[in-house]
Amino acid sequence: MLGRSKSEPVTTSTPDPGEGVVLTKDGKKGRPTPKRREQQAARRQPLVPQDRKVAKTASREEQRKSRIAQREAMARGDESALMPRDRGPVKRFIRHHVDARLRLGEVVLPLMLILLIGSAVLPSNLLKTNGLLIVWAIAVISVIDVAFMWRRLKKRIVEATGEAPPKGSLRYAGMRAFQMRFTRMPKPQVPRGIPLDDIPPPGRASGTSKTR
């Protein structure tokens, strides 16, 4: 019976790392050999999770700065930052025209506030009634003042653009005239007392002119 010589060297196969298995001396299958990417993943330290509180705080700070920049641009009258109701050369011209004069409507709200405080302090009903009548009289005169202002303003807009002001322009001018100067937005861009003829009118619109 032929047998293997004792002097014959015993050969063992070198496992290929790509095969994923190793062989024991008796040829039996052992445990899988870890692949290179698995070994690298095992050696890799877990990443420290990002601090969500810090990220949230930073995001809020960026949003706050963005809101401040947006508000400052709106106050300056930058066209890109304005609301749709404030955009356009006609609306800008209306703002300049209103801001160039001291409007009687500006004092209506402060007078109402004084009357409200006085009603709680003054015991006399006669004084309260007279004060209320004075405030209402000033409010009516303020409406008349806005009507005359709008008449001249509308005429200049029609002459400059060749067409009537956009819908809602009268209300836009009236609301601004009844606001106190420091509360108006966008902020006034012309000094008070400037001649109205020095305010540049809006450019003429293209197309045929029309008057409503």
Side-chain angles (χ1 to χ4, degrees), residues 106-170:
E106 297 181 45
V107 302
V108 173
L109 184 59
L111 284 177
M112 287 185 174
L113 182 60
I114 294 174
L115 179 62
L116 181 63
I117 297 175
S119 300
V121 177
L122 298 176
S124 175
N125 291 329
L126 180 61
L127 292 176
K128 295 178 183 179
T129 303
N130 291 337
L132 183 60
L133 290 176
I134 292 174
V135 172
W136 276 109
I138 294 177
V140 172
I141 297 174
S142 300
V143 173
I144 298 174
D145 175 64
V146 169
F148 279 102
M149 176 198 70
W150 177 249
R151 183 178 179 182
R152 178 175 181 177
L153 181 56
K154 180 180 179 180
K155 181 179 179 181
R156 289 200 64 190
I157 294 174
V158 172
E159 291 175 351
T161 63
E163 55 185 30
K167 184 179 180 180
S169 296
L170 172 58

Side-chain angles (χ1 to χ4, degrees), residues 38-190:
E38 294 175 351
Q39 295 175 356
Q40 292 176 350
R43 292 193 301 266
R44 189 177 300 138
Q45 296 294 331
L47 297 176
V48 178
Q50 186 179 7
D51 193 336
R52 295 184 179 180
K53 186 176 181 180
V54 174
K56 190 175 183 179
T57 302
S59 177
R60 288 180 177 176
E61 182 66 18
E62 290 296 330
Q63 293 177 1
R64 186 184 69 83
K65 291 180 179 179
S66 178
R67 287 194 298 268
I68 293 176
Q70 179 78 8
R71 184 171 181 83
E72 290 177 350
M74 182 184 298
R76 293 192 304 267
D78 291 352
E79 196 73 17
S80 60
L82 296 179
M83 299 178 64
R85 67 180 183 184
D86 300 317
R87 293 176 185 172
V90 174
K91 296 297 182 63
R92 181 171 61 251
F93 178 70
I94 292 175
R95 292 195 300 269
H96 292 347
H97 194 97
V98 174
D99 298 336
R101 292 289 182 273
L102 173 62
R103 302 298 171 183
L104 192 58
E106 297 181 45
V107 302
V108 173
L109 184 59
L111 284 177
M112 287 185 174
L113 182 60
I114 294 174
L115 179 62
L116 181 63
I117 297 175
S119 300
V121 177
L122 298 176
S124 175
N125 291 329
L126 180 61
L127 292 176
K128 295 178 183 179
T129 303
N130 291 337
L132 183 60
L133 290 176
I134 292 174
V135 172
W136 276 109
I138 294 177
V140 172
I141 297 174
S142 300
V143 173
I144 298 174
D145 175 64
V146 169
F148 279 102
M149 176 198 70
W150 177 249
R151 183 178 179 182
R152 178 175 181 177
L153 181 56
K154 180 180 179 180
K155 181 179 179 181
R156 289 200 64 190
I157 294 174
V158 172
E159 291 175 351
T161 63
E163 55 185 30
K167 184 179 180 180
S169 296
L170 172 58
R171 181 181 179 184
Y172 185 78
M175 291 291 291
R176 191 170 182 87
F178 273 85
Q179 292 176 337
M180 290 181 287
R181 185 178 177 89
F182 70 91
T183 63
R184 293 171 181 171
M185 186 65 69
K187 296 296 183 181
Q189 303 297 317
V190 296

Side-chain angles (χ1 to χ4, degrees), residues 25-39:
K25 291 184 179 181
D26 55 359
K28 293 183 179 180
K29 187 176 180 180
R31 65 180 180 82
T33 302
K35 295 182 179 180
R36 180 177 298 177
R37 59 185 178 184
E38 294 175 351
Q39 295 175 356

